[in-house]
Amino acid sequence: MKLFDPSRFPIFLIIAILGILTVWLIWRARRGQSLFIRKIAGLEAVEEAVGRATEMGKPILYVPGIDDANNIQTIYSMIILGHVAKMVARYETPLIVPICKAFVMPLAEETTRQAYLDAGHPDAYNPNNIRYLSNEQFAFAAATNGIILRERPAANLYMGSFFAESLLLAETGFQTGAIQIAGTANIHQLPFFVVACDYTLIGEEFFAATAYLSREERLVGTLKAIDYTKVIILVVLVVGTLLASFNINFLHEFLNLE
Amino acid sequence: MLRREIPIFLAMIVGWFMVGEFFFPWAEAGGTEVQQMAVIITAASVVLGVANVIRINLLKVSRREKDWQYAMLLLAGIALMGFLGTVLPVVHAAVHGGAWKLGGFGLAGITSGTLFDRLYNRVYVPLSATMYGLLAFYIASAAFRAFRVRTPEAALLAVAAIIVMIGRVPIGEKIWDGIPLLTDWIMNVPNLAAKRAILIGAALGGIATGLKILLGIERNFLGSD
């Protein structure tokens, strides 16, 4: 049996580069060097959405996608939920979190409870607003649409991994006039969100949310590491294309590309 | 402190093990074991989910909140399917040996031909298909908004979409045989380039998030520092 799977070398290389850059950039950030993050309208709008819901005296709906906790988007959605819940707790606005996968429910409960505690408003936390609806995709979509139409949230946040139900949810939210912010890395659902939502976090923007909202140096350092890795990948792509055009296959062979 | 540190430590150990399993084939068997553990834990979590549904809807019924009748119907559905799928097979196995039928349907169990199976396939499945079917109308309404030409970018989007739509149907080729070729170019060159750019960014974001959790940098999901 092989000690190391050579077909996975490019991924190993990317993780190694990203890891080294992350450590270096966190070190730079801790030394007080400011790292620039471009403005992301969708994330700026989160606070505006929370404020609007508070003014209107209506709840906020946070949908963490329909995938299980083994999807990194769902885990990241829980992290964003923590930030949103902390914001919401300060205003004491109801936060409704419909859940599709049972395993995600305790995560969402714990994240929200902790966020309310951190914000100093543990009494405002309502466990009845973390609602497990169904493991089935369209049963979940129907039940969430029911919540949107009956309880009329002023702000709908769709953050996580979505599939065919994305437009069903976003279009229903649009019809109720709620401010809508979506974020996903599922490429095929992005057009639906772009059309039906006020703001959409596209791919990597979704994963930038916590660094952007908290401005913690560790998280900002990681965000910059992603940017630098992208520059490296871009250079490799351009150089690799040029080399391949001249039938020089050194890079191709080094990266073990099939 | 232990409430935060122990989960972070466990997440790091299991996470790094699974990363190692991806690159080192000799660790594959251990990875499969860990994945099976995850399946068992996930299955157990369904109990928590069902308990949550029952608690919230019982409260709604007992307080006679708005639309409490729907909550009642939901609870009746859970009770019926739970009874047919879990309680009845146990009772059946304990007191009855042969086939247990009502109107030609098997009463106990969840296999094909049982009442449980019929209810699922003849009530839930058509309802689910209806929800999926509704998507066509939602797409039409969303597309109507998306194709309103207000800016040069929206005009570009609308023109590209019209070419792709015409190029995907037989009449497109009848109008001009270059339309399908143009459609393929739009899909395979600018569209694919943009898709791959988003995909690379999203993949790096996913890897970085995994690293943040495995290195203990991102721990907001366990509360703030």
Side-chain angles (χ1 to χ4, degrees):
Chain A
M1 189 180 280
K2 284 178 191 167
L3 191 68
F4 180 81
D5 186 349
S7 67
R8 288 170 179 177
F9 175 69
I11 306 170
F12 182 80
L13 196 64
I14 289 172
I15 292 177
I17 291 170
L18 193 60
I20 293 165
L21 283 172
T22 301
V23 173
W24 175 57
L25 286 158
I26 289 173
W27 176 75
R28 268 184 62 181
R30 282 195 169 154
R31 282 176 54 128
Q33 278 184 295
S34 72
L35 299 171
F36 171 75
I37 309 178
R38 73 176 166 88
K39 196 174 169 186
I40 301 174
L43 293 173
E44 294 277 323
V46 172
E47 186 129 22
E48 180 198 328
V50 173
R52 187 182 169 208
T54 309
E55 277 173 18
M56 293 172 79
K58 287 183 170 182
I60 291 163
L61 182 80
Y62 185 97
V63 188
I66 66 156
D67 228 332
D68 228 319
N70 58 2
N71 186 321
I72 194 74
Q73 290 185 65
T74 308
I75 295 176
Y76 201 72
S77 182
M78 290 297 112
I79 296 167
I80 301 175
L81 172 64
H83 284 272
V84 172
K86 222 178 279 180
M87 233 180 258
V88 168
R90 284 201 295 269
Y91 296 112
E92 297 193 19
T93 307
L95 174 68
I96 302 170
V97 186
I99 305 288
C100 181
K101 294 287 184 272
F103 193 74
V104 179
M105 200 198 64
L107 295 179
E109 276 182 337
E110 200 52 40
T111 304
T112 314
R113 184 184 292 122
Q114 188 63 47
Y116 274 78
L117 201 67
D118 291 340
H121 297 276
D123 298 340
Y125 170 69
N126 182 359
N128 294 333
N129 282 340
I130 315 294
R131 302 175 192 170
Y132 169 70
L133 300 176
S134 172
N135 258 42
E136 299 284 341
Q137 180 184 22
F138 290 110
F140 173 79
T144 308
N145 277 353
I147 292 173
I148 293 173
L149 291 171
R150 281 193 297 272
E151 305 191 28
R152 302 258 160 185
N156 299 333
L157 280 78
Y158 310 104
M159 301 280 174
S161 176
F162 290 87
F163 297 89
E165 75 294 337
S166 62
L167 190 63
L168 292 174
L169 302 176
E171 193 63 11
T172 307
F174 176 84
Q175 284 163 10
T176 61
I179 184 167
Q180 301 203 102
I181 304 168
T184 185
N186 288 10
I187 293 180
H188 293 101
Q189 305 312 318
L190 282 171
F192 296 137
F193 280 140
V194 168
V195 168
C197 294
D198 298 281
Y199 301 94
T200 306
L201 303 173
I202 297 171
E204 59 182 332
E205 288 181 338
F206 167 67
F207 290 109
T210 50
Y212 196 92
L213 293 171
S214 71
R215 303 279 167 163
E216 270 181 50
E217 58 206 16
R218 292 175 308 178
L219 301 176
V220 174
T222 319
L223 194 59
K224 293 307 286 184
I226 298 174
D227 284 350
Y228 286 8
T229 313
K230 262 192 300 186
V231 172
I232 293 170
I233 289 175
L234 201 65
V235 170
V236 171
L237 280 173
V238 172
V239 172
T241 308
L242 286 173
L243 288 177
S245 302
F246 293 101
N247 210 18
I248 302 167
N249 294 319
F250 153 74
L251 199 60
H252 188 273
E253 282 159 16
F254 174 69
L255 291 173
N256 200 20
L257 300 172
E258 291 300 319
Chain B
M1 180 196 150
L2 286 178
R3 199 167 168 267
R4 279 171 53 78
E5 301 308 326
I6 290 177
I8 289 170
F9 180 71
L10 285 175
M12 283 168 78
I13 295 279
V14 177
W16 280 116
F17 178 74
M18 293 309 288
V19 171
E21 183 259 348
F22 182 75
F23 293 110
F24 305 107
W26 48 268
E28 225 165 70
T32 311
E33 281 289 317
V34 174
Q35 280 174 0
Q36 280 173 352
M37 287 180 202
V39 170
I40 294 166
I41 296 169
T42 305
S45 69
V46 174
V47 178
L48 292 174
V50 174
N52 179 281
V53 173
I54 293 173
R55 180 172 55 85
I56 288 170
N57 286 284
L58 269 179
L59 268 176
K60 206 170 180 179
V61 173
S62 65
R63 289 174 185 167
R64 293 287 190 273
E65 284 177 20
K66 192 170 176 262
D67 299 324
W68 64 271
Q69 296 90 341
Y70 296 123
M72 191 82 174
L73 197 65
L74 178 93
L75 289 169
I78 290 176
L80 177 67
M81 296 302 271
F83 182 71
L84 290 175
T86 57
V87 180
L88 216 54
V90 175
V91 176
H92 177 242
V95 302
H96 201 282
W100 208 2
K101 292 198 170 189
L102 179 71
F105 302 126
L107 267 181
I110 57 169
T111 50
S112 179
T114 57
L115 196 56
F116 180 95
D117 177 62
R118 292 288 170 128
L119 280 171
Y120 183 83
N121 285 322
R122 305 227 169 150
V123 178
Y124 172 71
V125 172
L127 285 173
S128 176
T130 306
M131 280 301 290
Y132 192 45
L134 280 173
L135 196 57
F137 299 100
Y138 281 81
I139 288 175
S141 121
F144 178 73
R145 279 201 311 280
F147 295 151
R148 270 187 296 193
V149 179
R150 285 178 174 165
T151 58
E153 290 90 344
L156 197 66
L157 178 76
V159 170
I162 289 166
I163 292 170
V164 171
M165 281 192 286
I166 295 174
R168 287 277 193 241
V169 288
I171 200 169
E173 203 171 358
K174 296 274 182 217
I175 296 169
W176 176 46
D177 58 5
I179 291 183
L181 297 175
L182 199 54
T183 298
D184 287 344
W185 181 82
I186 290 171
M187 295 305 287
N188 295 333
V189 181
N191 179 58
L192 196 61
K195 263 169 76 173
R196 285 185 178 167
I198 295 171
L199 200 62
I200 289 172
L204 282 177
I207 294 171
T209 303
L211 274 178
K212 279 190 282 184
I213 291 168
L214 294 183
L215 294 171
I217 296 168
E218 181 76 83
R219 357 181 197 187
N220 288 333
F221 62 103
L222 294 167
S224 64
D225 289 322

